[in-house]
Amino acid sequence: GAVVSQHPSWVICKSGTSVKIECRSLDFQATTMFWYRQFPKQSLMLMATSNEGSKATYEQGVEKDKFLINHASLTLSTLTVTSAHPEDSSFYICSANPWGVQETQYFGPGTRLLVL
Amino acid sequence: DQQVKQNSPSLSVQEGRISILNCDYTNSMFDYFLWYKKYPAEGPTFLISISSIKDKNEDGRFTVFLNKSAKHLSLHIVPSQPGDSAVYFCAASANNQGGKLIFGQGTELSVKP
């Protein structure tokens, strides 16, 4: 099946620093990628839809200036958590949706962020 | 506003028996439903899906049933195996939402030997 990778798999940073997480589709092109966040024992909450070549669409309550998304190519989307705080500590997961196929969405392995 | 709900946070089943995981939704625009299996600190793994034009889809030990009038779907695993122990999420999407998935809260399945 299709493969989506994320890098890094885990990161620890100091409060106030920025962290960039990469999401790559390895064997297919994705015009759309999605970023989710999961707190312990909770659901996956959609943060934003990343669209290649255009601005991301953020879900209600997600600060676009804090969570910067860049979808620079058909195989790469990045999420930058700016000025991270301890409450941003979470598990961030991306998914990629191949060309116009609603039924198919492949998830990355996730990135664990811990902000001290 | 939880559009997709999994009201059972956990389920315990004996090996070899049937596991039934339930999911309810409120948005009538949803036309595609998926089940994912997830282990801690890993991304979800796709299991099985169903389109709203069907009421049943089967793949090996996994069967998903959809009752549109009740806005309810269920995942049946039979026979259950210890390796099935994980958190199961149902997700829904609407055709006009560009593939965006809305997830339920998840149900932790424990299959005991």
Side-chain angles (χ1 to χ4, degrees):
Chain A
V3 178
V4 175
S5 70
Q6 280 184 242
H7 178 80
S9 57
W10 59 271
V11 59
I12 302 173
C13 69
K14 292 182 179 179
S15 185
T17 60
S18 294
V19 175
K20 180 186 283 188
I21 303 171
E22 293 185 348
C23 176
R24 292 182 186 273
S25 58
L26 298 184
D27 51 2
F28 65 96
Q29 293 180 326
T31 54
T32 304
M33 291 183 174
F34 301 91
W35 286 96
Y36 295 83
R37 180 169 57 184
Q38 185 189 26
F39 292 107
K41 300 217 181 273
Q42 294 189 24
S43 182
L44 283 76
M45 298 301 297
L46 179 66
M47 299 175 65
T49 302
S50 173
N51 304 297
E52 188 268 336
S54 64
K55 290 183 178 180
T57 305
Y58 290 82
E59 295 299 303
Q60 193 173 11
V62 178
E63 299 175 58
K64 63 179 181 180
D65 294 330
K66 180 167 184 63
F67 299 100
L68 300 179
I69 291 173
N70 184 12
H71 196 145
S73 75
L74 287 170
T75 59
L76 173 64
S77 174
T78 60
L79 168 68
T80 301
V81 183
T82 62
S83 186
H85 290 283
E87 57 266 30
D88 298 324
S89 300
S90 187
F91 191 59
Y92 292 87
I93 309 172
C94 72
S95 69
N97 193 6
W99 291 91
V101 182
Q102 176 194 5
E103 297 81 0
T104 309
Q105 194 167 141
Y106 301 100
F107 283 83
T111 297
R112 172 75 62 191
L113 171 63
L114 177 61
V115 185
L116 302 177
Chain B
D1 177 26
Q2 190 79 27
Q3 296 185 68
V4 179
K5 299 179 183 179
Q6 292 174 257
N7 292 317
S8 297
S10 63
L11 174 67
S12 183
V13 172
Q14 203 70 29
E15 180 179 8
R17 306 296 286 268
I18 185 171
S19 296
I20 300 176
L21 299 105
N22 293 302
C23 180
D24 297 292
Y25 62 97
T26 58
N27 189 341
S28 57
M29 297 301 293
F30 289 146
D31 60 357
Y32 204 80
F33 305 89
L34 308 92
W35 283 95
Y36 286 87
K37 179 180 180 181
K38 187 180 182 300
Y39 295 110
E42 293 185 11
T45 302
F46 171 75
L47 278 176
I48 192 169
S49 61
I50 188 167
S51 165
S52 60
I53 63 173
K54 295 185 176 182
D55 55 18
K56 177 183 176 181
N57 188 26
E58 188 173 355
D59 184 1
R61 296 187 298 115
F62 302 93
T63 303
V64 56
F65 295 92
L66 175 63
N67 182 336
K68 281 202 310 182
S69 60
K71 293 191 174 68
H72 176 84
L73 64 153
S74 61
L75 173 68
H76 293 210
I77 306 173
V78 57
S80 301
Q81 300 172 353
D84 295 329
S85 298
V87 178
Y88 289 78
F89 289 94
C90 71
S93 73
N95 192 35
N96 63 351
Q97 292 293 305
K100 184 167 74 171
L101 292 180
I102 306 299
F103 281 84
Q105 307 96 311
T107 296
E108 184 171 9
L109 173 65
S110 175
V111 180
K112 300 184 185 305

